[in-house]
Amino acid sequence: MVYAGAVMMLLIFVIFLLDVREEEKMRARLKGVKVVSVAAGGLIFLALMLPVAGVLTGKKGEMTDAAIANIGSVELISAELFTNYLLPFEVASLVLLVGLVGAVTLAKKKL
């Protein structure tokens, strides 16, 4: 929760750095990009909803409720996150970092 809060505050600070007037000028120039953005967002949404389809059809994972109660849900999530899903976790953190550096670079007039 602390990490998510820190990332959220960092994103808010980056938004504060952006020049709103320049953004409005760019918005007027990029009206055609909205259609592509909505289509890409829809595809990403569908890709993220594929695991939910398994829940809706009644498929269950390998962990039972008793096993989760014995291990503890926080311990289970952290063990999975830092063993099996370490690479996607690190890639997501790098993507966030590159996005923040890019936003600050675009917001700065002189470096």
Side-chain angles (χ1 to χ4, degrees):
M1 294 296 272
V2 172
Y3 180 76
V7 169
M8 193 168 56
M9 289 305 297
L10 190 58
L11 287 174
I12 289 172
F13 288 140
V14 169
I15 290 170
F16 286 151
L17 285 173
L18 296 177
D19 188 12
V20 177
R21 290 173 294 219
E22 184 68 30
E23 180 70 26
E24 290 174 358
K25 292 177 188 175
M26 287 181 63
R27 190 175 298 156
R29 286 183 265 161
L30 299 175
K31 286 186 178 182
V33 178
K34 287 183 181 181
V35 174
V36 176
S37 301
V38 169
L43 288 174
I44 291 171
F45 178 75
L46 288 175
L48 292 174
M49 288 296 114
L50 284 177
V52 175
V55 173
L56 295 176
T57 58
K59 295 180 183 175
K60 291 195 173 192
E62 58 197 44
M63 295 297 291
T64 63
D65 291 336
I68 292 174
N70 282 341
I71 295 172
S73 61
V74 174
E75 183 180 342
L76 178 67
I77 291 172
S78 63
E80 286 292 318
L81 181 64
F82 295 116
T83 56
N84 295 333
Y85 297 104
L86 182 62
L87 182 63
F89 178 75
E90 292 297 329
V91 169
S93 66
L94 287 175
V95 167
L96 283 172
L97 179 65
V98 167
L100 289 174
V101 169
V104 169
T105 303
L106 290 173
K108 288 277 195 185
K109 300 291 182 195
K110 297 177 186 176
L111 291 175

